[in-house]
């Protein structure tokens, strides 16, 4: 049968995100304004180009359909087998263009030695840790290629965000620590399986 490697894109373990959070907290008070930036990319899979060795065709919509004519795709569409892998290749290329090196243990983790910046990618969600000014520069450069939404920038300054949700977990920046809550859906699932949904919270 056909190789199924193109069906899936790599996904990082949550431990990779926790490592990035830890590195940011450890840097505080050492004269470096390091923060956490959380961004997501709108319509991410539509940015994945069809590679040169592959050809993909689709029927044209009814308003411009012609007998014997179809459309050749330049970019993958949502739901097509190679879309996820194509997006992984696309974001990896854009990050390496900015000087990041892709991880060997997890291809979703990136590191840039020149400014000690880290990034973990989960689908269309990016978590960056680094110098506050450099974070803005990275987001601006990515915005040249994609629709980038900076969801939050967590940090110690009064103007910084103090809470964000990532991978169904709440992350809070406190005065002395960085806290994250487990996925609340796990609690709901446990209560349901133990038939305790109507019990008192005690």
């Amino acid at each position: 049968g056909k190789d199924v490697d193109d069906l899936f894109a790599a996904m990082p373990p949550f431990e990779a995100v926790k490592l990035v959070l830890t590195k940011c907290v450890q840097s505080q008070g050492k004269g470096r304004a390091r923060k956490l930036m959380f961004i997501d990319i709108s319509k991410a899979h539509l940015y994945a180009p069809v590679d040169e060795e592959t050809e993909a065709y689709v029927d044209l919509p009814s308003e411009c359909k012609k007998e014997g004519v179809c459309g050749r795709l330049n970019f993958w569409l949502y739901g097509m087998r190679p879309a996820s892998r194509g997006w992984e290749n696309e974001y990896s290329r854009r990050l390496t263009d900015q000087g990041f090196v892709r991880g060997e243990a997890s291809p979703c983790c990136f590191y840039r030695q020149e400014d000690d910046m880290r990034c973990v990618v989960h689908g269309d969600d990016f978590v960056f840790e680094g110098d506050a000014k450099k974070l803005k520069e990275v987001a601006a450069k990515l915005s040249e290629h994609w629709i980038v939404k900076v969801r939050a920038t967590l940090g110690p300054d009064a103007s910084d965000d103090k809470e964000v949700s990532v991978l169904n977990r709440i992350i809070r920046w406190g005065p002395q620590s960085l806290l994250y809550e487990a996925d609340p859906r796990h609690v709901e699932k446990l209560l349901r399986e133990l038939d305790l949904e109507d019990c008192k919270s005690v």
Side-chain angles (χ1 to χ4, degrees):
K2 179 174 169 52
D3 193 338
V4 297
D5 284 347
D6 65 340
L7 282 175
F8 305 103
M11 291 294 166
F14 188 68
E15 285 72 19
V17 176
K18 289 198 289 186
L19 177 62
V20 168
L21 302 181
T22 301
K23 294 299 288 184
C24 188
V25 171
Q26 289 176 341
S27 74
Q28 301 307 306
K30 297 181 179 179
R32 298 188 298 168
R34 296 182 71 84
K35 300 181 182 182
L36 294 161
M37 181 175 67
F38 300 81
I39 69 173
D40 66 33
I41 310 302
S42 298
K43 302 176 176 64
H45 285 185
L46 300 181
Y47 294 114
V50 177
D51 57 82
E52 294 178 0
E53 296 80 28
T54 307
E55 294 182 359
Y57 299 89
V58 293
D59 287 332
L60 295 173
S62 56
E63 61 268 18
C64 58
K65 194 165 190 172
K66 293 180 182 177
E67 188 67 32
V69 177
C70 62
R72 181 177 178 179
L73 292 179
N74 293 323
F75 295 86
W76 295 112
L77 299 175
Y78 277 102
M80 299 187 81
R81 275 177 54 124
S84 293
R85 179 54 61 87
W87 167 241
E88 180 183 324
N89 293 337
E90 165 68 5
Y91 73 68
S92 297
R93 181 168 61 91
R94 297 299 182 188
L95 289 173
T96 54
D97 285 349
Q98 291 199 47
F100 286 90
V101 175
R102 194 174 187 181
E104 294 183 14
S106 173
C108 308
C109 300
F110 295 82
Y111 179 68
R112 191 165 71 182
Q113 187 172 6
E114 65 185 66
D115 53 9
D116 196 30
M117 186 180 292
R118 291 166 178 79
C119 174
V120 176
V121 183
H122 187 280
D124 57 3
D125 291 313
F126 291 63
V127 180
F128 287 92
E129 185 273 334
D131 175 79
K133 183 180 178 182
K134 296 290 187 180
L135 290 175
K136 290 181 180 179
E137 291 176 4
V138 167
K141 287 183 180 178
L142 294 180
S143 296
E144 296 174 4
H145 308 286
W146 313 322
I147 299 174
V148 172
K149 178 184 178 185
V150 178
R151 296 178 51 234
T153 301
L154 270 58
D157 297 340
S159 59
D160 293 332
D161 298 303
K162 302 302 177 187
E163 182 177 305
V164 68
S165 172
V166 59
L167 303 180
N168 297 312
R169 294 164 174 86
I170 305 297
I171 298 173
R172 291 189 179 92
W173 187 287
Q176 301 294 329
S177 61
L178 192 66
L179 304 173
Y180 76 89
E181 294 180 4
D183 187 342
R185 293 179 302 179
H186 290 286
V187 175
E188 295 168 6
K189 185 176 181 181
L190 283 171
L191 291 174
R192 187 167 55 252
E193 290 182 0
L194 295 172
D195 197 25
L196 295 172
E197 290 178 285
D198 298 323
C199 71
K200 294 181 181 179
S201 59
V202 175

